[in-house]
Amino acid sequence: MASEDSFVDSDEAMVDFCDSGSDFEVTLKATKRGEMAVTGPRPPKRPRHKAAWRVSSSPMPASPDSPVQQQQPSGRTSRQASPRPVTTLSEGSRGISAENIHDAVCSGKSAMVTVVDEWLDSYKQSREAGLLVLINFVVRSCGCKGVVSREMLDNMQNAEIIGKLTKEFNEDSVNYPLCTPGPQLKRFKAGLCEFVRVLVRLCQNSLIYDEYLFPSLVALLTGLSDSQVRAFRHTSTLIAMKVMTGLVEVAVLVSVQLQTSQRQHDMENSKGAHERAPGRLEDLQATISELQENRGELSCMMNTTFRGVFVHRYRDQLADIRATCIEELGMWLQKDPEDFLNDGYLKYLGWTLHDKQSPVRLRCVRALQGLYQEKEFIGRLEFFTSRFKERMLSMVLDKDPEVAVEVVNLLLLLQQTEDGLKEEECGHIYPLVYASNRALASAAGVFLFKKLKTVLASEQQSAKSGNAAFFQILISFFIQSEFHEHGAYLVDSLWAAARSELRDWDTMTALLLQESGLVYEEEGVLIELMMCAVRQAAQATPPVGRTQGRKNVTGKDKKVQEQDRRRITSHFIPLLPPLLAKYSADAGKVSLLLKAPLYFSLEMYSSAAGLDKHLDLLLSQVWGIIEKHTDVEVLEACATLVSTLCADRYTFSSRTNLAFSQLMDGLTECLSAYLGDLVQGTADDDDVYSAAAALKRIAALSCAMDPTGWKLFDSCLELLKSRMESREFDKELMVSALRCAAFYLMWAKVNAVNSTPAEEEVKRLKKDMRSFCRVCETCLCLNQNEIRDQAFELLCDLLLLYSASSARVEPELGALVHLPSDSLRSEMSAFLLDYVFSDCEDAELDVEGEEAMKITLLQKRRNQLAGYCKLVLFGVLDLTAATNVFKHYNKYFKDFGDIIKETVSKSKVIDPVRSAKTVCLCLQQMFSEMLTEERSRQDVGEIRDLAKRLAMSFGIDLKRARKPLVALHVEGVRFAFREPPEGDEQRSNVAFLEILSEFSFKLLQQDRVHLAAVLKSECPDAALSWPSVRLYQRSLEGRSSAKAKVTGERGDAPTAKRKRSTPQVGGSWLDGSSVHSSLPPPALASTAQRQPACRATESEPGSEDEFSLGSSMRRVKPCRHPSLSSSHTVPTVDTEDINSPLNLLSLIADDDDEEEDPDFKDYESDSDNDSAYTLPSTRHTSASALDELFA
């Protein structure tokens, strides 16, 4: 293995690679392309002259750092004077043309061997003409229309030919074959690579050593690879790298032949003189000499190609070129490890691990995978592994999930080596089983599974049979990882690798039913993992937040899924009642076990013989659990199970309905026994607790069963009124009463839709709805969080259910439509301002450090805001009520931005003009509040920021947004010049024009003219010189109105071009900072996690089809309730802290800034030398129409 100096002195190595004599500038020195000096007499076996390919004494250097002694670089040679006689084709015979080869490559259907054979026939007749055809094919593959003539080939240097081709390049488009999108690119690239491969293979025994074809081709490719035209540089680099790969394959074959011949020679030489075949030893020696000569020539060509193309292009500005170089380097390392698998070449892979573009990093990681798969390479990779292991471990958090997946697979290969990974190094990979990207999580799951199996094998746990030991260690991992709430994600990650183990229901249930074996915490973990595995097997869908992409479920998959469901059902039907009986007292465990029947094939209860008795046992256990628990989670799980078992599609539904109806009868009698004392206020604490528990169970069952038959609405309403009159606010009792009454109204509406109710029933139901809304309105004013929040959420649901839009489906139910009163709308608006758009509760929780409660509170507030927004969008509340939502768009963007954005977007679909006026009204209200409270000028900036964000919601189709935008501007101008009340400051609203100017960039030219006229008519002459008015006028006149007009006509946003740096005339090196870099690799890791900045994105405008908002409504001014929080001041909580737990599954951070900057900067090694390296010039030196062609 090479010494460590090859990494430590990598800066000096880079300097060697980037010296002035190897950059292959366009302005090449005046050397002839085919000039080959003869240094001595020709060998007797095969005449050849090799000055152009002179090498050092070794056939192939151990490292590219060692200098190559060349008299002339191949890129500067000319073939003007060739010592060989020139043969020409006759006038009547014409071989294959460059166009024929190009068409065959593009089609992808031609037999490439036939195409290359035809070209070889023409080359053998005239090598100059054949080479000319090959050169023109390369030029044509670059997308250039220019043609290299015979005169140019004979009389011009490479630099002159490339310069002439550059001028003749297609100026109409910047596209070229290798960057053409679609299947054509894939077909052309595959055909081009196949052509080069076949060409080298067919020439490997003869023409590859003729010292004319390949030296000339490599010289041209080297010059093109340094061209400023991206098409030349990209295409020539790809061809050169494929030629290099072909040469490596030939070199390996020659090395094998050389070893075989040498072995035969040694054997022949060991024989006695009388045993040798006559002339055999001389023939073998001649063969060895020829093979050594061939190997040396191949080594020289490979060295020249490597130094002339790879060393410069592996850090090219274009990511595709860099990726091509690294991909081919990986193939060289695998095919010819004797010459390439050393630190001198491996360092390029190590440096490229820090590349800014993910495709390059991906090719690099895959190249390393190919190396670590070979066990005989591990020893040679030892120093590379120690040097770059830290970087590979950090790349598991790469911003590109595909790269991260391949890195995990690479580390799995590294783990399987003799040294492997340390436990703390494995800790970088374990958390990825909870990642949101399913491919990454599955790769981490395979890694974890292999690690667990290794631990089991090392501990030799033979005492536990089957998979019991596996579950024991998996439980330990789950507990120690401290991600207890993410069991579904762990199971999904392990499903591909440990599917058979996770479906071992027998072992899991046996561990749970045995009296000793697992401790309390381990039992809870095993139940959670078991239920997650049951769900995974029955549904075959990933958990929430982990998508699997578009995958069509085949018939085979459905069959396997159905078989799993039946197997689960057969196993758990007899065992579920004992499990429920054992863990019935534990709320957490029993709530998980109650989910098991949801994944059963429940028809087996009635179809399979002997299973109906287990249904009675299950119903009995569920009955007992409901009577035993008042925990919300347990009661909700029971209600879900009751709803499933009572479905009409099952033949046993009548039995379940009867069983739970009897349970409801008992709960109703229990409530009636305490109701009188509760209403009169004579009940003691025990009575209140018993009544609250009964009401809570009734409310839970009301989700699954129709409770209207028990007539509980009046009792619940009477109970609520009496409690509010007496000011005795028992939270459990009142919340349960509110839920029971609301469920009664919901089921009554459903029954009214399914049947034709009598007129008296309709009147009574509408009266009940009115009474309930009045009670809830009173609850909104209470200083009880649970009661207040429950009342608001139930109001949102019921008002939507009894809205005018719901009556459109059933017109005869129009009498049931209930619109909120003015006072109720005012109270709901005040609730929104006081308790949704408020930070006081967050601050209190921050002091206590309850992160989980903060997440729960945020989710509750999001649900409340979503319910209010639905009332606005469905016409229950007037569209102007949305101003209370819109005005908080900017301030609470992180918590509620998606909800508010969707509300703004949907409101534009409903009524674009009214939506725009609502946006303007929102800004007017904020401006008026600012004037009333006499706040600072800084608040105007905040309002302007909100206006900018709201302006983006009008989308990019400016023709569709014309009418709404004009209406918004007109309303804003009229507000700005509204006559102020007596005693107020004159024209204090004029400053609103500064806010209004933020919408001007969306206007078309004709609308700008119209609004300028409106401004002139509304604005007094004396105010035309005021700063705010002048600023608004400039917004209507400036910012290239012509561009806005074009955008509006096309309905597309203009594309901004990246600013170019000024080219330096007369030089091939740029002195600007964009090509200088002194960046150390670790700091430039593009996988550094960073929270993405919140940005306003343009919403896509929907259809302009309008639908009615219902009857017109009066505007109600919302009032904010006095603060009910504690008097002490608490610092505002950082909203980023709230979101951090929510983003636990998002381990892959996006770094948009790095992706937007396409400039590639080369990276240093970790040596202490801080010298900067300059990249070869890739800029054009003249400002012409060809600028678009250059990188």
Side-chain angles (χ1 to χ4, degrees), residues 534-593:
V534 167
R535 187 201 66 83
Q536 189 80 14
Q539 295 184 344
T541 55
V544 177
R546 184 179 285 179
T547 58
Q548 60 179 351
R550 295 183 178 179
K551 181 181 179 181
N552 296 326
V553 181
T554 62
K556 182 179 179 180
D557 295 336
K558 292 181 179 179
K559 184 177 180 180
V560 172
Q561 183 179 341
E562 184 60 30
Q563 290 175 353
D564 284 341
R565 289 179 70 96
R566 298 187 70 85
R567 192 177 299 113
I568 290 170
T569 306
S570 301
H571 177 79
F572 279 97
I573 278 182
L575 294 178
L576 185 59
L579 286 172
L580 291 174
K582 181 177 180 179
Y583 298 104
S584 60
D586 192 308
K589 296 173 184 176
V590 78
S591 60
L592 289 172
L593 290 171

Side-chain angles (χ1 to χ4, degrees), residues 821-1026:
S821 61
D822 294 347
S823 59
L824 180 58
R825 286 189 284 134
S826 177
E827 289 294 337
M828 294 184 72
S829 299
F831 178 91
L832 202 69
L833 297 175
D834 290 338
Y835 306 111
V836 177
F837 297 115
S838 173
D839 298 326
C840 58
E841 295 185 29
D842 282 347
E844 294 175 1
L845 289 175
D846 185 58
V847 172
E848 299 174 4
E850 300 179 4
E851 292 294 330
M853 291 300 297
K854 287 164 62 177
I855 299 173
T856 304
L857 176 62
L858 176 60
Q859 187 61 45
K860 182 177 69 173
R861 289 163 60 187
R862 285 174 58 84
N863 290 337
Q864 292 167 352
L865 177 61
Y868 186 86
C869 291
K870 283 193 290 184
L871 295 180
V872 173
L873 294 177
F874 282 90
V876 178
L877 301 178
D878 191 75
L879 195 56
T880 56
T883 57
N884 297 322
V885 178
F886 293 171
K887 65 176 61 175
H888 296 93
Y889 191 14
N890 213 35
K891 182 178 180 181
Y892 292 92
F893 182 80
K894 196 162 192 175
D895 293 339
F896 311 117
D898 55 339
I899 299 174
I900 301 177
K901 178 182 176 181
E902 188 68 14
T903 304
V904 174
S905 177
K906 294 295 184 183
S907 67
K908 285 178 169 46
V909 177
I910 296 171
D911 192 331
V913 175
R914 288 190 63 196
S915 175
K917 290 183 177 180
T918 303
V919 169
C920 186
L921 178 62
C922 161
L923 298 173
Q924 291 172 11
Q925 291 177 355
M926 295 184 67
F927 185 81
S928 300
E929 292 173 4
M930 182 195 69
L931 295 179
T932 303
E933 299 175 9
E934 298 181 355
R935 289 187 283 183
S936 63
R937 182 74 177 178
Q938 181 181 358
D939 294 296
V940 179
E942 295 177 0
I943 302 176
R944 291 189 66 172
D945 291 340
L946 174 62
K948 291 177 184 178
R949 193 178 290 276
L950 290 172
M952 300 303 296
S953 66
F954 285 89
I956 60 176
D957 191 349
L958 302 187
K959 291 183 68 176
R960 176 176 293 183
R962 280 189 66 187
K963 192 174 180 181
L965 280 171
V966 171
L968 183 147
H969 277 270
V970 171
E971 289 289 324
V973 171
R974 290 174 179 172
F975 172 78
F977 296 103
R978 182 182 300 169
E979 290 293 336
E982 294 184 1
D984 287 0
E985 182 182 353
Q986 293 294 324
R987 305 289 181 182
S988 58
N989 292 346
V990 173
F992 184 77
L993 293 177
E994 299 179 18
I995 301 170
L996 194 62
S997 64
E998 299 295 340
F999 296 88
S1000 299
F1001 76 100
K1002 292 280 186 179
L1003 293 170
L1004 301 183
Q1005 180 61 23
Q1006 51 268 43
D1007 296 331
R1008 294 170 184 264
V1009 175
H1010 170 67
L1011 289 173
V1014 172
L1015 176 65
K1016 188 174 181 180
S1017 63
E1018 294 287 339
C1019 178
D1021 295 338
L1024 289 174
S1025 60
W1026 292 357

